[in-house]
Amino acid sequence: MRTRWRAALAGAAVVFAVAGCSAAGNGASSTADSAGGVAKVPAAPQQGTGGKAESKVAAPQPGATDRKLSRSARLELTAVKVVDVVAQARGIAQGAGGYTGQESTGDDSATLSLAVPAERLDPVLDQLSHLGSSLVKRELNTQDVTEQVVDVEARLTTQRKSVERIRALLSQATSVSDITSIESELTSRESALESLEQQRNSLAGSVAMATVSMSIRSVAAPAPPSEDRSGFLGGLAGGWDAFLTFGGGLLTVLGAIAPFLLIVGPLAWVGWRLNRRRRVARPEPSEG
């Protein structure tokens, strides 16, 4: 009994001693903080120019303005020289920091795809719209892919942890059957991880770069403006045009009947010669 009590008393003494040391330490620490000025003091509110404390502006919630937008556009143009417009469109895209994708160019029409930084899409569209003869159609499409980006990032985080767990199990496996089974599962999960990374990269690319699809078709050049043909010079120019028109029509008619004249002309000349010989050979009637 005495031994138990002595042990209990000794334990209590130890407890009280520890508690006393802790209290003394805390008190000393507090005293030192107060004396040395180490204790943290709440900072005074910042004073503005008017002497009043400035009110804190609430920060915007995360994701309120950081939207992930995928933008694309389509243009239809007409041009006299399709090749020239295609070359100018390439230059505009490269000048904006973009590049040319698929392209198909012919004499009468052309289609091409341009990729430009998303923040430069609007000025690039304005420049491209003024190319060629006229703008037939202009379309702009904006798609919000924020939820897709967040979903893919979350799935990536989960999938990476899953792959790490499988690798940890593989390092602890000892039997051949366990190693084979774990390696098969690891390959499957790594493949899923790569697929998610490709989706993430594709979404990031569609947000960073905007796509412009252009189609250009050829049109005839506009007729030059008509000149003022009043007065003597105007009448002279009109008469000359009429003469050229008449001469052109006459030459057209002669060209059409020329083959017939080559055949009928010699036959008519031969007939005329034979008829003349008959008249000469015919005896004149004697007078009675």
Side-chain angles (χ1 to χ4, degrees):
M1 292 293 292
R2 291 181 178 178
T3 304
R4 293 180 180 178
W5 279 107
R6 288 178 181 176
L9 290 174
V14 171
V15 170
F16 281 115
V18 171
C21 292
S22 299
N26 293 337
S29 176
S30 299
T31 304
D33 291 345
S34 300
V38 180
K40 295 182 180 179
V41 180
Q46 296 181 356
Q47 300 296 325
T49 56
K52 295 182 180 179
E54 295 181 355
S55 60
K56 295 183 179 179
V57 179
Q61 296 181 355
T65 57
D66 187 15
R67 309 301 298 178
K68 305 298 182 182
L69 303 178
S70 176
R71 307 183 69 193
S72 61
R74 179 175 178 80
L75 294 176
E76 293 184 12
L77 305 173
T78 61
V80 177
K81 293 184 178 181
V82 175
V83 178
D84 293 347
V85 174
V86 171
Q88 293 172 3
R90 283 200 222 101
I92 292 174
Q94 294 175 0
Y99 56 89
T100 305
Q102 296 182 351
E103 178 181 335
S104 176
T105 304
D107 294 334
D108 298 331
S109 63
T111 57
L112 70 157
S113 177
L114 305 174
V116 297
E119 64 274 9
R120 301 291 303 276
L121 178 60
D122 293 331
V124 167
L125 280 181
D126 292 339
Q127 295 180 45
L128 294 175
S129 300
H130 290 87
L131 297 179
S133 302
S134 63
L135 173 64
V136 179
K137 183 182 295 185
R138 172 173 172 170
E139 297 178 354
L140 181 61
N141 182 30
T142 302
Q143 183 179 3
D144 190 347
V145 295
T146 306
E147 294 183 0
Q148 299 180 30
V149 172
V150 173
D151 177 66
V152 170
E153 290 293 343
R155 293 167 61 188
L156 270 172
T157 302
T158 303
Q159 194 66 23
R160 290 194 185 101
K161 293 180 179 179
S162 177
V163 170
E164 291 175 359
R165 287 195 298 267
I166 296 298
R167 287 175 178 170
L169 290 176
L170 181 61
S171 64
Q172 299 173 2
T174 56
S175 64
V176 176
S177 60
D178 291 344
I179 293 175
T180 303
S181 176
I182 294 174
E183 284 182 344
S184 176
E185 183 64 22
L186 179 60
T187 301
S188 175
R189 298 195 182 190
E190 286 179 342
S191 177
L193 178 61
E194 291 178 359
S195 177
L196 288 173
E197 289 176 345
Q198 291 178 0
Q199 294 181 30
R200 190 266 312 273
N201 295 336
S202 177
L203 287 171
S206 66
V207 171
M209 301 295 288
T211 304
V212 181
S213 300
M214 294 185 63
S215 60
I216 309 161
R217 58 184 177 85
S218 177
V219 293
S226 59
E227 300 178 356
D228 186 11
R229 295 188 173 183
S230 58
F232 174 77
L233 295 178
L236 182 60
W240 178 252
D241 291 340
F243 174 76
L244 292 178
T245 303
F246 173 76
L250 180 60
L251 292 176
T252 301
V253 173
L254 292 176
I257 66 176
F260 300 97
L261 293 177
L262 292 176
I263 298 174
V264 176
L267 293 177
W269 183 78
V270 171
W272 177 77
R273 293 288 296 180
L274 292 175
N275 187 24
R276 184 177 179 184
R277 288 181 181 180
R278 288 184 190 146
R279 291 181 179 178
V280 173
R282 184 182 303 172
E284 295 181 359
S286 59
E287 298 179 356

